[in-house]
């Protein structure tokens, strides 16, 4: 690996010559493989080593062909870099996760931190997961739907748009676009694209992002700032700069020595660094600060004078879909165009506020599409953690059938009927098919389909037990 000279000199200064050699050796090693289990859908297979700072994080001994594992398409786990799971410690140590929260993941795609946050917050909390680039926002929405939490809104907005929601969020996670030094081992292209000028441009952009969204954080609210890079400009200097611009309290997290996380400090602000020779993970930096001031009490009840943008579903439509979810009494059923969506009732007011000011790509749990007098169940329902399987006819698929279904091919079940089928693999729902006589029509979303050819011999790649 040919590293840029100025990068090498800076890392030698940061680490010292002896430790720099250990760092350099680590960059030549095969990157570790880690996943985070969706405990609402599955349990970790016995024998997998734990990511020490993330309760559901696990290391795999080798990298399997994830595409050929139906469990990942079912949202049973997410492939996530282990260092980035450290965000969990910020929330567990600095936030009361039992209370209702309004949380923003500003740079959410492809969905690792968003699905992680969704697993940590309570069911009556709202997560707004944002991605400014529309094509990446679609991927984010897909991964959020697969995770199936039901209390997430996916938006696609520029950071400055969040100024329309002053004092709205209790927690903000800003995993800022960066120069990517921490990804050098996994992505050789990042080495080619690196330059001191790009570092400077990234640092300036990160400052703009922070200032653009700062007003949307409540007084007393928590900001988690992170990058996957090592230089001080994008990390400690940016957080110290924010501290100078705005009133913040630095949050010190408790670390276990065996974790290998390196604490840093600049301008009175604590930071946390991850190096590949010290941790089983890639390069990462994180800092946690609290906004000055005390949070004012906010009512979550509906305002009689307010004009709402969200539209309740009709009584007839609600009656048809409400038994599709477990505990339907906890949900508000909404209709947006032809799509009927379920949202936890407690979140209506906050969700409507988001709809008033931002562009929403995906919301809650998409249940059904209205087709004249008929309803077509949607993929979000099949993957929901609140799906009521008893409301549907269920068909269990073997591995080959499951993968052909995920490729959106025709499959044969050897059955007859005329009804919607919920197809699943090892108890994990994958999506819908419509049986018409002996024919089975595949309704897996076209844009989600597996595009790789199936090998002649299919590997048993499921790493989890449902």
């Amino acid at each position: 690996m040919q590293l840029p000279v100025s990068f090498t000199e800076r890392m030698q200064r940061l680490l010292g010559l002896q430790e720099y050699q250990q760092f350099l050796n680590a960059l030549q090693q095969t990157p570790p493989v880690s996943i985070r289990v969706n405990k609402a859908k599955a349990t970790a297979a016995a024998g997998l080593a734990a990511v020490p700072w993330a309760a559901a994080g696990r290391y795999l001994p080798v990298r399997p062909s994830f595409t050929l594992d139906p469990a990942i398409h079912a949202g049973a786990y997410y492939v996530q870099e282990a260092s980035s799971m450290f965000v969990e410690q910020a929330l567990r140590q600095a936030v009361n996760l039992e209370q209702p929260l309004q949380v923003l993941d500003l740079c959410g795609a492809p969905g690792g931190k968003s699905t992680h946050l969704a697993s940590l917050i309570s069911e009556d909390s709202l997560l707004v997961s944002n991605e400014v680039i529309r094509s990446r926002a679609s991927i984010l929405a897909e991964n959020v739907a697969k995770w199936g939490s039901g209390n997430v809104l996916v938006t696609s907005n520029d950071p400055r748009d969040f100024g329309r929601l002053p004092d709205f969020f209790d927690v903000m996670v800003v995993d800022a676009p960066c120069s990517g030094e921490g990804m050098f081992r996994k992505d050789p292209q990042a080495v080619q694209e690196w330059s001191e000028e790009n570092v400077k441009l990234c640092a300036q952009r990160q400052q703009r992002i922070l200032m653009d969204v700062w007003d949307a954080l409540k007084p007393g609210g928590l900001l988690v700032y992170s990058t996957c890079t090592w230089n001080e400009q994008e990390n400690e200097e940016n957080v110290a700069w924010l501290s100078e611009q705005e009133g913040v309290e630095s949050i010190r997290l408790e670390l276990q020595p065996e974790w290998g996380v390196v604490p840093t400090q600049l301008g009175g602000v604590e930071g946390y660094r991850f190096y590949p020779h010290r941790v089983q993970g890639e390069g990462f930096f994180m800092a946690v600060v609290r906004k000055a001031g005390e949070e004012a009490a906010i009512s979550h009840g509906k305002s009689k004078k307010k004009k709402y943008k969200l539209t309740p579903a009709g009584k007839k439509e609600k009656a048809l879909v409400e038994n599709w979810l477990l505990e339907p009494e906890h949900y508000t059923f909404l209709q947006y165009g032809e799509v009927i969506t379920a949202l936890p009732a407690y979140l209506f007011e906050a969700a409507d506020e988001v709809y008033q000011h931002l562009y929403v790509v995906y919301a809650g749990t998409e249940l059904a599409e209205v087709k004249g007098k008929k309803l077509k169940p949607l993929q979000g329902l099949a993957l929901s953690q609140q799906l009521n399987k008893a409301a549907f006819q269920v068909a269990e698929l073997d591995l080959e059938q499951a993968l052909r279904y995920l490729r959106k091919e025709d499959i044969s079940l050897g059955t007859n009927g005329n009804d919607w089928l919920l197809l699943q693999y090892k108890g994990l729902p994958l999506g819908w098919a419509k049986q018409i006589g002996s024919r089975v029509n595949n309704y897996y979303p076209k844009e989600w389909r597996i595009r790789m050819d199936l090998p002649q011999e299919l590997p048993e790649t499921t790493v989890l037990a449902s």
Side-chain angles (χ1 to χ4, degrees):
M1 185 183 295
Q2 289 293 108
L3 297 174
V5 173
S6 58
F7 171 81
T8 297
E9 291 173 347
R10 175 161 47 77
M11 294 306 295
Q12 288 176 341
R13 174 177 56 79
L14 276 171
L15 296 171
L17 289 177
Q18 183 176 353
E19 190 174 355
Y20 174 77
Q21 190 57 50
Q22 297 172 356
F23 166 79
L24 194 60
N25 292 340
L27 291 185
Q28 315 303 321
Q29 305 302 313
T30 301
V33 182
S34 51
I35 63 171
R36 188 173 33 75
V37 181
N38 187 344
K39 291 192 173 182
K41 294 187 177 185
T43 55
L48 292 181
V51 176
W53 45 81
R58 296 293 184 272
Y59 291 105
L60 302 184
V62 294
R63 186 178 188 89
S65 177
F66 289 114
T67 302
L68 298 179
D69 183 3
I72 196 171
H73 302 282
Y77 65 92
Y78 191 98
V79 183
Q80 185 179 2
E81 201 284 304
S83 299
S84 69
M85 297 184 202
F86 189 67
V87 169
E88 178 170 326
Q89 291 301 316
L91 270 74
R92 289 197 184 279
Q93 295 191 36
V95 179
N96 179 1
L97 292 173
E98 295 181 359
Q99 68 177 4
L101 299 168
Q102 290 170 193
V103 181
L104 172 65
D105 184 8
L106 183 67
C107 311
K113 288 187 177 64
S114 288
T115 53
H116 196 177
L117 292 167
S119 293
L120 294 170
I121 60 179
S122 62
E123 292 180 0
D124 51 3
S125 294
L126 175 68
L127 172 62
V128 177
S129 182
N130 181 71
E131 173 55 48
V132 65
I133 301 171
R134 290 290 166 86
S135 59
R136 286 170 56 82
S138 296
I139 296 170
L140 174 59
E142 175 184 338
N143 286 322
V144 165
K146 286 177 177 177
W147 202 253
S149 299
N151 58 347
V152 184
L153 303 183
V154 177
T155 60
S156 183
N157 287 81
D158 189 273
R160 64 175 175 269
D161 296 338
F162 287 85
R164 305 169 193 161
L165 293 170
D167 298 345
F168 187 82
F169 294 103
D170 300 285
V171 178
M172 278 188 192
V173 175
V174 179
D175 186 39
C178 68
S179 58
E181 297 166 359
M183 294 293 107
F184 280 0
R185 177 165 65 174
K186 293 182 71 173
D187 182 11
Q189 186 66 28
V191 181
Q192 304 302 317
E193 295 174 353
W194 186 92
S195 69
E196 290 288 0
E197 182 61 27
N198 189 39
V199 167
K200 183 178 178 181
L201 289 173
C202 286
Q204 292 171 347
R205 181 171 58 203
Q206 291 151 0
Q207 290 182 1
R208 178 186 71 81
I209 289 172
L210 288 171
M211 296 312 295
D212 280 347
V213 299
W214 188 250
D215 287 346
L217 184 63
K218 294 177 183 177
L222 201 75
L223 170 71
V224 181
Y225 175 80
S226 63
T227 71
C228 56
T229 204
W230 288 303
N231 68 77
E232 300 103 318
Q233 282 180 267
E234 298 179 71
N235 294 331
E236 289 90 348
E237 290 179 17
N238 263 351
V239 185
W241 171 85
L242 177 66
S243 180
E244 292 173 0
Q245 302 297 313
E246 306 288 343
V248 304
E249 172 199 356
S250 178
I251 303 298
R252 175 178 292 181
L253 303 179
E254 294 295 324
L255 304 177
Q256 300 300 319
E258 61 270 21
W259 291 356
V261 180
V262 178
T264 68
Q265 187 187 86
L266 181 67
V269 178
E270 309 279 344
Y272 306 93
R273 286 176 161 262
F274 289 67
Y275 295 107
H277 64 291
R278 285 179 170 264
V279 304
Q280 196 175 348
E282 302 308 308
F284 187 66
F285 170 85
M286 193 181 84
V288 188
V289 298
R290 193 179 303 281
K291 189 174 184 178
E294 295 185 6
E295 179 186 342
I298 295 179
S299 171
H300 291 272
K302 292 184 181 180
S303 168
K304 293 181 180 179
K305 295 181 180 180
K306 180 178 176 181
K307 184 177 180 180
Y308 290 100
K309 189 166 185 177
L310 293 176
T311 305
K315 290 183 179 180
K316 178 183 176 182
E317 287 78 13
K318 178 184 175 182
L320 290 172
V321 302
E322 60 183 349
N323 73 322
W324 292 1
L325 292 178
L326 303 172
E327 301 179 325
E329 66 277 7
H330 294 166
Y331 289 85
T332 296
F333 294 86
L334 306 167
Q335 186 162 347
Y336 210 80
E338 296 179 335
V339 175
I340 299 175
T341 298
L343 193 70
Y346 185 83
L347 302 181
F348 178 89
E349 186 80 11
D352 188 81
E353 195 72 19
V354 174
Y355 266 89
Q356 296 274 359
H357 298 290
L358 301 176
Y359 178 76
V360 179
V361 176
Y362 187 88
T365 302
E366 291 190 348
L367 301 177
E369 184 178 351
V370 180
K371 294 280 191 179
K373 295 183 179 181
K374 297 182 179 180
L375 294 179
K376 168 190 167 185
L378 293 178
Q379 188 68 16
L381 171 66
L383 299 174
S384 171
Q385 296 174 15
Q386 291 296 313
L387 169 69
N388 179 17
K389 288 187 184 181
F392 299 96
Q393 185 176 341
V394 179
E396 182 74 22
L397 306 180
D398 61 27
L399 179 58
E400 182 176 355
Q401 288 174 324
L403 291 174
R404 294 199 179 282
Y405 171 73
L406 293 167
R407 277 176 52 83
K408 204 169 171 59
E409 296 179 5
D410 292 331
I411 59 173
S412 176
L413 299 177
T415 57
N416 281 277
N418 187 20
D419 203 357
W420 286 102
L421 298 177
L422 176 66
L423 304 185
Q424 63 180 27
Y425 174 74
K426 292 190 175 181
L428 293 168
L430 297 175
W432 303 103
K434 183 69 179 292
Q435 180 147 326
I436 303 173
S438 60
R439 189 174 82 249
V440 177
N441 289 346
N442 189 332
Y443 276 84
Y444 194 71
K446 181 173 66 175
E447 61 275 15
W448 292 15
R449 71 189 185 281
I450 293 176
R451 290 173 171 81
M452 71 177 289
D453 293 331
L454 300 184
Q456 288 188 339
E457 289 191 22
L458 295 175
E460 188 64 45
T461 54
T462 301
V463 298
L464 303 177
S466 62

